[in-house]
Structure formats: structure tokens, C-alpha cells
Amino acid sequence: MRADKTLFTGLVKKDRRALARELARLEREEAARRRRHRRIAWRTGLAVVGVAVLSVGTVTIVSALQPTPVLGPMNMASDGILFSGDGSTVTAATAAGLESDATPVASTLDTSDKLLHVVVYADYGSADSALFETTNGSALLSWVTSGYATLELHPVALDDSVNQNYSKRAANAVACVADASPDAVPAVNTALATAQSTAGASGLADDALVTLVQTAGVTDAAVADCITSGTFDDWVVDATGRAQASVPNSDVAALDTAPLVVVNGTAYTGALDDASAFESFVQNVYAPSE
């Protein structure tokens, strides 16, 4: 604020000084007011920027802390791995891995194709699962190889609390093989069943599981790392829980014991160590119309 010289016209010296002091005071107050407004605006601007930066930072930190959805093993979109044959070779069906919160897609049961569709839920810590496999596994695999049947294998862990997590660790080993070398799963499945009777109450150690898988033909170092690190342990627990809640394409509502063997939708309830009884059951279930 600058004084208009005409304001001083007609005033004596004393009055001009008083007026000048008053004008100066008013100018100082106006300048101070402008400075206060600038400080308030500056602080408000900083606060807004700070909140924005904090918000972005918080979102970034929260995003970084959010766990990345864990993928289940490749080639097990149904929680099981499906095999078919062409007369000489058994081949696994391929599929992408499922995220931890994804819903598995059950395989379609189509009996119009005149094939046997066999589904086995196996717990590798269970003597009963091993008994069924050592008794009937060879015949099952021969049917699949010949192209007469499909086989869907579900590794589960029902007996985990009594064998120091061996059921889960062995199922994880199968999942590791399914993820990297799916066609080798039948050989690993057979080897695990054979080893069950001599594995002891605690089952095979992780290093022994790696050796078993390598002996079955899977020498990939990534598979060994997958086994020893328990990569799919959580998936095994989740898949087992899903089977305990519901068994698709079956006359059994839920999994409560292993093995569970389902042929064309009907569960086998006969003796696990009687190959003739199982073969008769299969024939009765299949019973193709002529």
C-alpha cells in the first residue's frame, strides 16, 4: 500500500507525520496478512501432497505385503492328474496350474465312449493305499496303456497326523513330478506304494523321496528342490480338504478313507488285496451293451 500524496495536502507537518505512521502501520499489517495467507496455502499444499504421497506409499506397501496367489501344480486342474493310452504309451493330460483360491475343474465323466474311467484317491502314508496299488496297479496301468481305460490319480493326505507329515510330503512329491514331468507320475506312484511297507512310521525322509523319484526316472534338479522345499504342501492340504467335502462323478459323497477307487462313477468296496474281486467289480460296472 503506497500513500497517495494528495492525502497530505493541507495538513500541517505534525499531522502529515501522524498520517504517514498510520499508513505505514496499515501497510505492515497488510503485508503480514499476505504472508500469513501464503504460509497457510503452502502448508495446506504440503499436507495435500503429503497425504497423496502417503496414500500411494501405503497402497504400494500394502500391495507388496499382499501374498502372491500360489499356483497349484501344473497338469492337475481337477486336483488329480489324468492319464490315457494309445496302445503303447501312457500320456498325461496337460493343464495350467490353479491359483490357491481357484476352484478345480472336475473331469467330465462320459461313459458313452465305452472306456473305463478309473479315479484313485491315494494316501502314500496309508498301508491300504499301498496294498491296493501293489495288488491292482499293474493291471490298471495295462488297461490304460492299451487304450481301454483312463486313470485319474489324486494324491491326498488323510493320515498326516500319525506319520510326521509323510502323507503330505509324499503327495507333494507326486505334485512336483506332475508339475514338471507328468508322464513319469505312474512310475513314481508305483514306487511310493512299493516303498510304503518298509518306510517306517515316519515314512521316507525328503532326501529319500528325492532318491525314489530320481530312481523312477525324474532327475530334474528343480523337482528335487520342489520336494525338499515342500512347494505344494499347501495345495495338498487344500486338495485333500476339497475331496473330504465332495467327490465329483461318484456315488460317494465325500472322501473319508484311502484308497477311494471309483470306476465309471461307482466306488469299489471290495477287498483291497483281491485282484480277482476288483476285476469282477470292473466288469460288472462296465457291462457294455451289445
Side-chain angles (χ1 to χ4, degrees), residues 37-55:
H37 285 183
R38 283 197 297 268
R39 284 197 298 269
I40 292 171
W42 172 250
R43 289 171 181 170
T44 302
L46 284 179
V48 171
V49 171
V51 169
V53 170
L54 181 59
S55 299

Side-chain angles (χ1 to χ4, degrees), residues 104-130:
V105 180
S107 299
T108 301
L109 176 61
D110 180 9
T111 56
S112 66
D113 56 14
K114 304 304 181 183
L115 292 177
L116 291 170
H117 297 284
V118 184
V119 181
V120 178
Y121 290 80
D123 185 322
Y124 297 102
S126 162
D128 285 345
S129 286

Side-chain angles (χ1 to χ4, degrees), residues 75-102:
N75 311 313
M76 301 189 78
S78 67
D79 279 345
I81 182 165
L82 179 66
F83 300 96
S84 58
D86 60 4
S88 60
T89 304
V90 173
T91 304
T94 58
L98 294 178
E99 293 186 359
S100 59
D101 57 352

